Amino acid sequence: MAAPADQERAVGIDIGGTKMLGVVVDATSPTVVIAETRLATPVGAAALVDGIAELVEALDPGGSGPVGLGIPGLIDDGDVFRFGANLPGVIDLAVGEVVGTRLGRPVAADNDATCATYAEFRGGAGAGWSDGILLTLGTGIGGGIVVGGLVRHGANGFAGEPGHMLIDPSGPPCPCGRRGCWERYASGSGLGRLGRDAALAGRLDAVVDLAGGEPEGVRGEHVIAAVRAGDHDASLVLDEFVWWVAAGIANLVDLLDPGVVVLGGGVIEAEDVLLPRIEGAVPDQVLARGHRPVVPIVAAHFGERAGAIGAAVLALESARRPPTQGT
């Protein structure tokens, strides 16, 4: 669906490990989506740039407004994509410059979860909180940090990579090249891995049926569907998954003392079965339970659109920022 060609608008694209979601917003109401579409995420730098250009043209044909890109990985202060575990074949890509030249439009880039943080803490579930954390549970785990009302990027622009906190040095390999990263257990792909392990051990007949009879085909959504249908073994797998999610959240609470934790990403689309379990599991793992306020854990207001909306907000604000004057 393309946007109508009238008021000033911006395009925001959330680039995930498996799909790209693009939206168009009106500059006067930047958290209101007026058009959206999605494409599978291409593999490799050249194909990724082609895919972004195709998505922008499909959303906003002939437009000239700014474009924001939310990318899963390390984006430095010069809009250079340095590294991302879930985007194989893309490294040290000056994505802002390359895509901007290709489109002939202003382009700004930031980490995808940081973009989601802009959206949620300005007009979504985190609005009104001056200190908080956003976590996106998808193919991997991204994060954004708000302190004193400001989104924090760190010294090099790389802050907000909780999915690669090391929690089990003997754990499964991670696409980042290490072993036992938190996202191997607590992301959507982590839930799928836990489900496949249980299925291969012969414990998830109902889930395997949903996966077409192949244990190797079990994914996180099959586990969720079986839990909703009342399957006991699937519920045990989900409880294990929730324990890992809660362990990471508790570590972040101990480190950052947030006022709120906002959960987004594809996994939290199963809010009905996940959020109550996570809310119940986190306090048991937080330091000094009973001697500190319980941190509210809430679902992202904008759901899977949060990263794309935040990228559009980033694009608008970057376009309005006065250019840096040389000396």
Side-chain angles (χ1 to χ4, degrees), residues 71-75 79-84 87 90-95:
I71 308 179
L74 304 181
I75 312 292
D79 287 354
V80 178
F81 178 76
R82 293 298 182 185
F83 173 81
L87 285 182
V90 185
I91 192 167
D92 292 334
L93 174 65
V95 64

Side-chain angles (χ1 to χ4, degrees), residues 239-270:
D239 286 343
E240 181 182 1
F241 171 75
V242 165
W243 187 93
W244 286 109
V245 173
I249 292 175
N251 286 340
L252 292 169
V253 168
D254 289 346
L255 178 67
L256 297 170
D257 187 28
V260 65
V261 175
V262 179
L263 296 183
V267 172
I268 207 60
E269 296 297 310

Side-chain angles (χ1 to χ4, degrees), residues 154-275:
N156 300 294
F158 300 158
E161 289 291 340
H164 296 287
M165 297 187 299
L166 183 63
I167 60 172
D168 182 2
S170 61
C174 180
C176 77
R178 301 182 301 164
R179 302 184 72 94
C181 291
W182 184 36
E183 67 178 45
R184 291 299 87 205
Y185 298 88
S187 64
S189 56
L191 176 57
R193 184 188 64 80
L194 293 171
R196 285 189 296 276
D197 288 348
L200 289 167
R203 301 201 313 269
L204 285 184
D205 291 345
V207 175
V208 172
D209 287 344
L210 292 170
E214 296 293 333
E216 294 84 357
V218 168
R219 300 192 304 273
E221 54 262 40
H222 299 136
V223 177
I224 294 292
V227 170
R228 285 178 170 146
D231 184 76
H232 175 71
D233 290 334
S235 185
L236 292 177
V237 170
L238 191 65
D239 286 343
E240 181 182 1
F241 171 75
V242 165
W243 187 93
W244 286 109
V245 173
I249 292 175
N251 286 340
L252 292 169
V253 168
D254 289 346
L255 178 67
L256 297 170
D257 187 28
V260 65
V261 175
V262 179
L263 296 183
V267 172
I268 207 60
E269 296 297 310
E271 172 187 351
D272 57 322
V273 296
L274 276 174
L275 200 57

